[in-house]
Each structure stands twice: as structure tokens, then as C-alpha cells.
Amino acid sequence: MAVLPGGGVGPPERKLQMDLNLTGRVAVVTGGGSGIGEAACMALAEAGAAVAVVDIRPEPARAVAEKVTAVGGRAIALTADVADEEAVSAAITQAATTLGGLHVVFANAGINGMQTPIDEMTLDEWHATVETNLTGTFLTVKHSIPHLRAAGGGSIVTTASVNGNTLFSLPGYAAYSTSKAGVVAFTKMAALELARWEIRVNAILPGAINTNIGERTYRRNLDRVDYGFQPPAKWPPLRGKPAQASEVGDLVVFLASNASSYMTGAELLLDAAYTLWRG
């Protein structure tokens, strides 16, 4: 018991417990071959999880899996386009079968796609972004549910964005922002629906992160939708620079672990107050 000033006795002392240990758990990470996905694979492995690195590109997936095994972790590389239901189902089943179940899912795969005025965007460009970012999240979650139920529950983490949720002023981002707003809505629906099976579902909303997603970003005629104003600063007031992908990976570990066992349906901003600063 804690001794209070004056000699009184208070309630038992309680030490802070932060259980981030994922030993014995299996995680699937889509878009795991680079950027946030790669950082999450490494962080999950360091916490003890076996990791299935899923990416549309075989070589980057293999390279990340090899990095995990090089530091003593367990990992396999799987190739799948998250917009292809058959490929997603096969990858998740293979991950669960090979690694021994499924407990953590990071539905992270996404693209910026084409940034262009709405009246110039083609239907194919719209579909490419929405099908990867939103439909891909749906398919990843859908085909993970039976495995998570079989494990007695688990954690699903989705990658949304500040765009479409707290920020709406980037020119040409209509398709991307719409897809990421949909991810948050889907996350909340899934959180309530899956709670009966002890499956938690939470969304991360990153701001500026140092990744290579710009390599697969395309722009056309954005000067037509220049809003004519600039934010007070390019980068957020906290530290004044983008976050590292590893900082998102650390948040994924927290959401995957028992430390966040009472959290579901949450949307967690990771933008160093940039959208507050931008207004």
C-alpha cells in the first residue's frame, strides 16, 4: 500500500505497464515492400511478431522479408494486388497457413494516383486510386476476418490520411481524399461489427511522412485548381519536418499490442499538428 503524507494509507501502488510484446503473433502487412509498410514490418518483427510482407512488387517484398530474417525475425514475402480479390484471399490464407494463424492485420497498401482537376480525371484514373486505397482495404479486412476469429480476436489497423479527413485543400486530390475518407468510415463500421469477436479496428491518419510514394504519383494541369493561397509554413510546427516512416511503424505496434486493448474505432492523427496549423 502507498503511504500518504501524514501517515495515512492509500490504494496499492500501480506501476505503469505497457505490454508491446507481440511474441507468438502473426501479422500481415500490405504495401509492406517500402515506406510505411516496410517500417511497420520491421517494428512488428522487433516486437516479436512473425510477418507476412505483402506487396504488388515481388522484389521489394522479398527484400523486406530478408531484412526481417537477417535480424532474427520470421517473415515471408507474398505478392498480391490488393484490388484483386482472389490474390488477396490467397495471400492471407498462405500467410496464416505458413506462419501459424493470424492476429494482426495492417491494411496499408495505397497510392496517391493521379492528381488532376476533377473535370480532367478519367474514370480509369479514379478507379485506380479508389480500388487500391479503399477497395483494397475492404478486401484485406474481409479475407482476414475468418482467420482473426479463429485466433480468438486480434487487431486490424488501416492507413487513412489527413487528406479527406482533416485536410481538403490540396489541389487535384479528389480521388485520393475520397478514398481515404472512405477508409475512415469503413474502419468505424468494421470496428463496431467486429467487436463481438474481440477484433479491434483502428485507423492511422498520417500527415507528411518520408516515403517513396511520390515515385508513383502523377500530376496533370494542377495550375487550373491552384487556390491562390499558401499555408503559413510548408512543414508542421512540431519539429518543422516530415515524420519518419518508423514513427508510423511504432504506432502500428501500439495498436497491434495489448497496450491498446480498449481502443477500437479510433482515428489517430499523426501529423504534428500540421492540419491545425494550416487551418
Side-chain angles (χ1 to χ4, degrees):
M1 303 291 284
V3 179
L4 302 177
V9 178
E13 291 184 0
R14 182 180 182 276
K15 292 184 178 180
L16 177 65
Q17 297 181 352
M18 183 73 74
D19 184 3
L20 299 175
N21 190 339
L22 299 178
T23 300
R25 300 187 201 181
V26 175
V28 165
V29 178
T30 65
S34 63
I36 290 173
E38 177 181 359
C41 287
M42 299 306 298
L44 289 163
E46 288 169 6
V51 182
V53 185
V54 182
D55 204 283
I56 195 172
R57 302 158 300 157
E59 288 305 320
R62 189 174 299 113
V64 173
E66 289 173 353
K67 284 178 65 176
V68 170
T69 57
V71 295
R74 292 177 63 212
I76 59 172
L78 300 170
T79 304
D81 178 351
V82 293
D84 181 336
E85 182 166 18
E86 185 175 339
V88 171
S89 176
I92 291 172
T93 298
Q94 185 175 348
T97 302
T98 303
L99 296 175
L102 183 60
H103 311 87
V104 177
V105 177
F106 185 27
N108 165 71
I111 59 172
N112 279 343
M114 176 60 74
Q115 297 167 13
T116 193
I118 294 170
D119 60 319
E120 291 190 18
M121 182 175 293
T122 69
L123 185 57
D124 285 344
E125 290 165 347
W126 173 271
H127 280 315
T129 301
V130 173
E131 287 176 7
T132 298
N133 296 354
L134 181 54
T135 304
T137 298
F138 156 68
L139 291 174
T140 301
V141 172
K142 172 186 174 179
H143 290 285
S144 297
I145 291 170
H147 301 285
L148 293 169
R149 282 200 304 236
S155 174
I156 298 171
V157 182
T158 64
T159 299
S161 175
V162 294
N163 292 293
N165 292 290
T166 60
L167 184 64
F168 300 89
S169 56
L170 294 187
Y173 268 70
Y176 180 84
S177 295
T178 299
S179 70
K180 292 302 187 178
V183 167
V184 170
F186 175 73
T187 298
K188 291 177 181 292
M189 295 296 293
L192 190 58
E193 183 173 321
L194 302 182
R196 70 195 74 184
W197 294 300
E198 296 295 324
I199 299 171
R200 300 182 296 108
V201 194
N202 294 288
I204 295 175
L205 280 61
I209 311 291
N210 271 328
T211 71
N212 63 349
I213 194 171
E215 295 174 4
R216 298 184 297 282
T217 300
Y218 310 96
R219 299 177 177 88
R220 185 173 64 240
N221 296 337
L222 290 181
D223 57 309
R224 289 192 54 235
V225 284
D226 183 351
Y227 302 125
F229 65 86
Q230 293 295 324
K234 182 178 181 181
W235 303 119
L238 179 63
R239 288 190 295 179
K241 60 183 180 180
Q244 298 300 312
S246 60
E247 295 176 275
V248 187
D250 291 342
L251 182 54
V252 173
V253 169
F254 169 73
L255 292 173
S257 73
N258 292 339
S260 60
S261 61
Y262 204 65
M263 290 181 64
T264 193
E267 47 185 297
L268 288 86
L269 272 174
L270 192 72
D271 76 339
Y274 177 68
T275 50
L276 294 177
W277 183 251
R278 184 160 180 140

